[in-house]
């Protein structure tokens, strides 16, 4: 983020594909008109992915952000034309189901569409046949029809936006190969090309699969893996001989066989993700002229590999019998960009200020991404939440070339897979483990993965506790995946006795120095001017009042704080705003009397929670752990047995207890001390599945899921953490001027004790979609599924419906906190 407003800075964009052209258009529309776009190839078809992209735009995604990007792309391209030809052909989209599992997935996808505001409906096999007469109706169970999807004419859209940007002052220079990035004092200063040097205050890499090459010149690693993807065109079909337009039928996806189809007048274009991943070294991709000299049409079009195509061609002809009468006339392996998590890589580098990435962006999301990046550059933040795409999101352990290659290749494999929201990656695992990992394995931990961490979700050692459960409803097959009734037993044991939770993966920052208090106090919303030993729940806001993160800040000494944060972006945000600014991408930044250091990997944490937590912990220490001697939201540095710990009396499960921190080398010893002492109290190890249930019963928010920078504190129900009387803090003026919320994060209880939802489902009020679920989990203490949802303000007791696989499940607006509203269990 730029530290000071700029009126019309010099901007150089590297790459004149659809992203670079869209960004130039968006920036110049916002008043930044000193924009130069450099392209190594010829214009308007420079040879990157844009030049060969088939142009399919399916808007609906499990990601609200990607769907918003795609919606804007459709809206914008629909408004553009070149020489009387529209840049978008709204033929609609159709996804086919040939298996019950896929049909269920399409119902879920229809729910996403309703949640994010995309028109779509589940249709019968007969309707699929009407929309695409060439398919064999007997092979189809149903489909998902989205009438506003269609075909982007990417090169035309690039040209249209290029012309508009030029009219506002931008210039586009072809045949300019970037050879270097100049920098000084941690800031970008110029782009060097074979045709000269271009000074700049901002440089944006929109180079597509060449992004890692440009990143290397800037001294940055770009977590992007190019892969080749097969695309072929048939010979003319007799069934399409009367075609008068480029395409009139919906773009078609046959995901059960990793295939998609579109018309090219009287021919069919077919894309396949069914073949093995074909990774391409980004440093070895040829330049435009080198590719032509090697008999390639362009750098992004590699030779067609017939052996990879044969199984897909058989699948095509089974779905469309008419294809049995024709052959493939031409094909190529087109190169596209994939990241370890399948999302774009956007934002400004802290290691090199003024250097931005707009990479791993497909045509589908191109205009939406460009709008977000332009707003980010000009205004300091995008209008929509983009944390899923933020370049800071990857941990250092996820940035190795081998990780990027392996995970990027797996993203290719999974493009059309039916993926469960909890489904973990299979490789490389294990990557990051807590010091307790060996003990967790002995207890039969069932691990899922997040941020590279192995995270126990339940323990098979607790299976005998399931026998004591009563009234636990059976689950449907989908909600039963990556779940076990053991989670219910672990939640019950936490409420009744005591449990150990591995909280090591939660991010911890250390902020020290003579300026630490003033800095943190001015960056956050709550009052931090408290004596050492105080712990404060507070928020990081941006200048618009949006919630960038929520933090717990423990003052361990006059100039020493431990901050419980959410993601690498929190370190990045704090470092950027520290006095003098942080300039390193490493885990520490120091300037102006403030040092910020990520201590997560060198430390560990055990949550000890439950009504018997004090009986377990008190005998292990000489310090007073009574309620009077160690109050709620207080911290102490002490010893448990032989282990030095920082103990914080916090609880995100709604029970008495402490978070106990120590260094990683002593973690196993801490676990063993607690485990041995807890045997007489019936201690168990409990996992994230029980934790999520318990925290939702208590109404505790999860940043990035329940609330983001799109939301304000009062909308999200965390206004209690805002102290307007504390003096100035980031976002204060915006918060003071907020109007009464028109939406709220709302707790729902599903009416039927047997019903379960998982998140992102649409919520209907008076029969119309009115919002969507964020977090959901069965509340084992309450005997109902708890779901939090963004909805218009509704009175407690109002009836709503949550759509789950096409079924409208009744629910009721509840009053929070749902469990222990007087806080008697925590404060005892």
């Amino acid at each position: 983020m730029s530290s000071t407003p700029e009126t019309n800075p010099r901007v150089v964009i590297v790459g004149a594909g659809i992203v670079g052209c869209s960004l130039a258009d968006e920036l110049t529309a916002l008043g930044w008109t000193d924009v130069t776009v450099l392209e190594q190839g010829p214009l308007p078809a420079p040879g990157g992915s844009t030049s060969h992209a088939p142009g399919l735009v399916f808007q609906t995604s499990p990601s609200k952000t990607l769907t918003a990007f795609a919606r804007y792309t459709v809206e914008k391209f629909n408004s553009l034309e070149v020489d009387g030809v529209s840049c978008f052909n709204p033929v609609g989209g159709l996804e086919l189901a040939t298996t019950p599992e896929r049909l269920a997935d399409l119902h879920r996808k229809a729910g996403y569409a309703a949640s994010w505001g995309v028109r779509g409906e589940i249709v019968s096999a007969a309707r699929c046949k009407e929309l695409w007469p060439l398919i064999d109706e007997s092979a189809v169970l149903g489909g998902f029809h989205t009438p506003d999807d269609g075909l982007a004419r990417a090169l035309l859209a690039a040209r249209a936006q290029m012309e508009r940007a030029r009219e506002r002052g931008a210039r586009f220079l072809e045949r300019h190969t970037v050879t270097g990035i100049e920098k000084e004092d941690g800031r970008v200063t110029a782009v060097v090309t074979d045709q000269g040097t271009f000074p700049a205050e901002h440089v944006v890499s929109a180079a597509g699969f060449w992004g890692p090459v440009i990143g290397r010149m800037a001294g940055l690693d770009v977590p992007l893996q190019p892969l080749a993807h097969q695309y072929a065109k048939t010979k003319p079909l007799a069934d399409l001989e009367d075609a008068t337009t480029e395409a009139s039928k919906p773009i078609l996806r046959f995901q059960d066989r990793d295939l998609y189809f579109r018309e090219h007048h009287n021919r069919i274009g077919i894309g396949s993700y069914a073949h093995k991943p074909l990774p391409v070294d980004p440093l070895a991709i040829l330049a435009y002229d080198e590719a032509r000299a090697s008999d390639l049409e362009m750098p992004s079009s590699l030779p067609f590999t017939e052996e990879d195509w044969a199984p897909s061609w058989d699948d095509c002809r089974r779905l469309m019998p008419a294809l049995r009468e024709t052959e493939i006339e031409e094909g190529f392996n087109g190169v596209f960009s994939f990241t370890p998590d399948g999302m774009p890589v956007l934002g400004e580098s802290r290691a090199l200020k003024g250097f931005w990435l707009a990479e791993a962006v497909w045509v589908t999301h191109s205009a939406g991404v460009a709008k977000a990046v332009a707003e980010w550059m000009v205004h300091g933040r995008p209008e929509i939440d983009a944390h899923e795409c933020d370049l800071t999101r990857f941990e250092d352990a996820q940035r190795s070339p081998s990780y990027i290659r392996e995970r990027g290749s797996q993203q290719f494999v999974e493009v059309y897979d039916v993926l469960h929201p909890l489904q973990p990656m299979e490789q490389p695992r294990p990557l990051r483990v807590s010091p307790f990992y060996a003990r967790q394995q002995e207890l039969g931990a069932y691990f899922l993965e997040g941020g590279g961490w192995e995270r126990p979700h339940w323990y098979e050692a607790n299976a005998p506790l399931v026998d004591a459960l009563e009234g636990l409803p059976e689950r449907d097959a989908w909600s039963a995946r990556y779940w076990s009734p053991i989670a219910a037993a672990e939640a019950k044991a936490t409420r009744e006795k005591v449990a150990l939770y591995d909280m090591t993966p939660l991010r911890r920052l250390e902020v020290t120095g003579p300026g630490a208090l003033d800095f943190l106090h001015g960056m956050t919303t709550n009052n931090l001017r408290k004596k050492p030993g105080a712990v404060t729940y507070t928020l990081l806001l941006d200048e618009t009042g949006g919630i960038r993160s929520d933090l717990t800040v423990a003052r361990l000494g006059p100039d020493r704080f431990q901050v419980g944060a959410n993601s690498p972006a929190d370190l990045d945000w704090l470092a950027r705003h520290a006095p003098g600014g942080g300039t390193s991408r490493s885990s520490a930044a120091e300037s102006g009397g403030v040092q910020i250091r990520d201590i997560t990997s060198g430390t560990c944490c055990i949550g000890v929670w439950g009504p018997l937590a004090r009986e377990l912990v008190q005998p292990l220490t000489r310090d007073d752990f009574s309620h009077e001697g160690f109050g709620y939201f207080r911290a102490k540095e002490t010893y448990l047995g032989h282990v030095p710990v920082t103990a914080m009396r916090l609880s995100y499960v709604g029970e008495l207890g402490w978070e106990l921190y120590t260094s990683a080398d002593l973690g196993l010893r801490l676990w063993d001390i607690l485990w041995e002492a807890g045997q007489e109290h019936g201690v168990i190890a409990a996992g994230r599945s029980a934790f999520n249930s318990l925290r939702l019963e208590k109404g505790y928010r999860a940043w990035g899921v329940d609330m983001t920078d799109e939301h304000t504190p009062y909308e999200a129900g965390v206004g209690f953490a805002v102290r307007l009387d504390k003096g100035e803090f980031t976002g204060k003026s915006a918060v003071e001027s907020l109007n009464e919320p028109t939406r709220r994060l709302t707790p729902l209880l599903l009416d039927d004790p047997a019903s379960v939802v998982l998140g992102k489902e649409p919520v209907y009020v008076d029969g119309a979609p009115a919002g969507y679920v964020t977090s959901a989990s069965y509340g084992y203490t309450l005997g109902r599924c708890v779901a939090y949802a963004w909805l218009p303000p509704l009175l407690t007791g109002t009836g709503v419906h949550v759509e789950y696989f096409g079924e409208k499940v009744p629910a009721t607006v509840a009053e929070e906190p749902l469990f222990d509203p007087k806080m008697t269990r925590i404060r005892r």
Side-chain angles (χ1 to χ4, degrees), residues 339-424:
T339 60
D341 60 2
M343 300 294 286
V345 181
L346 313 177
E348 183 189 21
S349 166
R350 177 161 53 90
L352 182 58
K353 289 185 178 180
F355 187 84
W356 296 76
L357 295 180
E359 297 291 8
V361 182
W362 292 8
V363 172
T364 301
H365 311 111
S366 55
V369 162
K371 180 176 184 289
V373 173
E375 292 166 347
W376 210 335
M377 295 174 71
V378 176
H379 301 311
R381 60 152 289 179
E383 286 186 2
I384 70 169
D385 166 52
H387 82 274
E388 292 176 311
C389 310
D390 195 312
L391 62 86
T392 65
R393 70 188 183 273
F394 294 112
E395 307 281 353
D396 287 344
Q398 298 172 304
R399 289 181 169 273
S400 69
S402 58
Y403 185 94
I404 293 167
R405 180 185 175 96
E406 188 168 353
R407 292 304 307 153
S409 297
Q410 186 61 25
Q411 287 297 323
F412 178 92
V413 171
E414 295 176 352
V415 163
Y416 283 169
D417 285 1
V418 176
L419 298 176
H420 193 277
L422 292 177
Q423 186 168 328

Side-chain angles (χ1 to χ4, degrees), residues 422-650:
L422 292 177
Q423 186 168 328
M425 67 180 189
E426 296 180 0
Q427 295 295 333
R429 290 180 66 190
L431 184 61
R432 308 175 78 188
V433 299
S434 78
F436 326 126
Y437 184 64
R439 297 294 183 264
Q440 293 166 343
Q441 288 180 303
E442 293 168 2
L443 293 170
Y446 185 89
F447 292 100
L448 298 181
E449 179 272 340
W453 287 99
E454 294 296 317
R455 306 178 73 152
H457 273 242
W458 64 83
Y459 294 84
E460 290 297 330
N462 297 323
L465 301 178
V466 174
D467 295 338
L469 298 177
E470 295 180 1
L472 188 65
E474 297 233 351
R475 289 204 171 201
D476 65 275
W478 185 252
S479 66
R481 290 182 67 181
Y482 307 107
W483 174 85
S484 168
I486 295 172
E490 292 176 357
K492 184 173 187 288
T494 306
R495 292 276 189 241
E496 295 178 354
K497 293 183 180 180
V498 62
L500 306 185
Y501 287 81
D502 181 2
M503 307 304 290
T504 300
L506 300 186
R507 186 162 305 277
R508 293 172 290 286
L509 308 178
E510 181 183 72
V511 183
T512 58
L517 175 58
D518 289 342
F519 169 64
L520 287 173
H521 191 71
M523 287 297 297
T524 63
T525 60
N526 213 332
N527 177 31
L528 300 186
R529 297 194 186 281
K530 301 173 183 177
K531 294 179 180 179
V535 183
T536 306
Y537 177 80
T538 187
L539 308 174
L540 282 179
L541 303 183
D542 60 27
E543 288 81 356
T544 70
I547 304 170
R548 281 199 57 93
S549 189
D550 63 339
L551 312 175
T552 52
V553 180
R555 191 176 188 186
L556 302 180
D559 301 326
R560 183 163 62 93
F561 296 82
Q562 181 171 309
V563 178
N566 285 295
S567 75
D570 294 340
L571 171 63
D572 185 75
W573 178 262
L574 291 172
R576 287 180 188 277
H577 289 81
T583 59
S584 171
R585 191 187 63 78
S586 69
S587 60
E590 182 175 14
S591 57
V594 178
Q595 183 185 49
I596 308 169
R597 189 164 65 97
D598 190 329
I599 61 172
T600 308
S601 297
T603 56
C604 59
C605 178
I606 300 175
V608 183
W609 292 312
L612 302 183
R614 184 174 286 117
E615 280 88 337
L616 191 162
V617 175
Q618 182 63 81
L620 302 175
T621 179
R622 293 182 178 180
D623 280 306
D624 185 1
F625 270 56
S626 69
H627 182 64
E628 295 74 21
F630 197 156
Y632 190 52
F633 265 78
R634 299 292 298 173
K636 281 186 181 182
E637 292 182 293
T638 184
Y639 287 86
L640 294 185
H642 302 98
V643 179
V645 299
T646 299
M648 298 185 195
R649 190 168 168 200
L650 307 175

Side-chain angles (χ1 to χ4, degrees), residues 196-211:
T197 298
F198 296 83
E201 283 78 51
H202 295 273
V203 173
V204 186
S205 177
F209 49 70
W210 282 291

Side-chain angles (χ1 to χ4, degrees), residues 70-71 96 254 469 477 514 566 586 588 626 629 640 676 749 816:
R71 287 182 62 191
L96 301 178
F254 180 25
L469 298 177
N566 285 295
S586 69
S626 69
L640 294 185
E676 182 179 350
L749 283 175
E816 61 176 344

